[in-house]
Amino acid sequence: MAAAMKKNDAHKVTLERTLFQTLWATFAQPLLQTVLPHFLLGLVIYAPLNWTLYLKDAQKLPLHWLFPLFWVSSGCLAGLACVVAKWLLVGKKKEGEAVHIWSIGVFLDTTWQAFRTLVGSYFMEMTSGSIFFVLWMKLMGSEIELDQGAYVDSMGALLNPEMVEIERGDEGKVKFGKISIEEGGFVGSRAIAMPGVRVESGGCLSALSLAMKEEIVRSK
């Protein structure tokens, strides 16, 4: 019995951390998550920027005509660098996998998440719904076919790309439905009402809440 208790205690996950882990999380990790992603992005866009300036001087082209080409080319390279960083720093996660909160794996994951967020803001968010975004998701481990479109409103959905699986349902059709709000009904800020939802008189769909398809929000 005593041996079993010791074994269970050894595998118990706690929030305790060593002095080194505390110093790292307080000072080093924040710098790593801010400096390293911007440094990597700077390295990625260096070559396209030089190429753009070379075309400007060699072909005597106006710089403002070359900036869109620079942005697209550097954005694609940044997306590819994000994929490489994902597999080098994080690797493939398994469903149900558990790691210690202060482990090196979590530190590397948060560093990659910072770089992914930066790349998303720089370029990849703009491609959502296109084949470029689908290819980006697939290269990072998502199960999605290239002929499927995927619009992701929040980059938080790609925290763990390999856990994202998008299937084609209802033969790829988009179904529209009315949303009915009766007099005295209330829909809060950023609440989501799916097609067919009806908010009765006096009913309240609170802020940030979700009403599923054909749900009736009744008065209390």
Side-chain angles (χ1 to χ4, degrees):
M1 178 66 71
M5 291 179 63
K6 288 182 179 179
K7 184 176 181 180
N8 290 335
D9 290 340
H11 290 82
K12 185 178 180 180
V13 178
T14 69
L15 297 180
E16 296 178 358
R17 57 187 180 186
T18 64
L19 177 61
F20 173 76
Q21 290 173 331
T22 301
L23 293 175
W24 177 271
T26 305
F27 300 104
Q29 188 67 19
L31 288 176
L32 192 64
Q33 290 180 216
T34 53
V35 175
L36 183 60
H38 288 86
F39 176 75
L40 291 177
L41 185 61
L43 288 179
V44 169
I45 69 176
Y46 179 75
L49 181 60
N50 274 346
W51 181 56
T52 301
L53 296 177
Y54 169 78
L55 287 178
K56 171 184 174 295
D57 295 333
Q59 303 296 329
K60 305 301 180 182
L61 296 174
L63 189 59
H64 59 273
W65 289 109
L66 296 174
F67 268 133
L69 182 62
F70 158 73
W71 180 61
V72 172
S73 60
S74 62
C76 291
L77 284 177
L80 184 60
C82 183
V83 172
V84 174
K86 194 270 180 194
W87 293 111
L88 288 179
L89 297 179
V90 181
K92 184 177 179 62
K93 293 181 180 178
K94 298 179 181 179
E95 186 175 358
E97 179 183 2
V99 294
H100 196 279
I101 191 172
W102 305 121
S103 65
I104 186 65
V106 173
F107 287 141
L108 292 176
D109 188 26
T110 54
T111 302
W112 174 74
Q113 296 291 355
F115 185 51
R116 178 195 57 80
T117 302
L118 183 62
V119 171
S121 300
Y122 179 72
F123 179 74
M124 293 308 301
E125 282 185 3
M126 303 293 182
T127 66
S128 184
S130 69
I131 190 173
F132 296 105
F133 195 85
V134 174
L135 179 61
W136 190 49
M137 293 177 63
K138 191 173 182 66
L139 289 175
M140 290 192 294
S142 298
E143 294 186 20
I144 178 174
E145 299 299 328
L146 290 179
D147 60 344
Q148 291 178 318
Y151 177 79
V152 179
D153 185 55
S154 172
M155 295 298 290
L158 294 181
L159 288 174
N160 299 298
E162 55 272 85
M163 301 300 170
V164 178
E165 181 178 354
I166 299 179
E167 298 179 352
R168 186 184 298 277
D170 200 16
E171 299 179 355
K173 298 178 181 178
V174 178
K175 184 178 181 180
F176 299 92
K178 290 184 178 181
I179 297 173
S180 176
I181 303 175
E182 298 182 1
E183 184 177 359
F186 175 80
V187 177
S189 174
R190 296 191 178 183
I192 299 176
M194 301 297 286
V197 167
R198 180 162 62 92
V199 181
E200 292 185 342
S201 178
C204 177
L205 184 60
S206 303
L208 300 176
S209 58
L210 169 65
M212 299 303 293
K213 185 170 60 176
E214 299 180 356
E215 181 179 346
I216 299 176
V217 181
R218 305 182 186 277
S219 59
K220 296 182 180 180

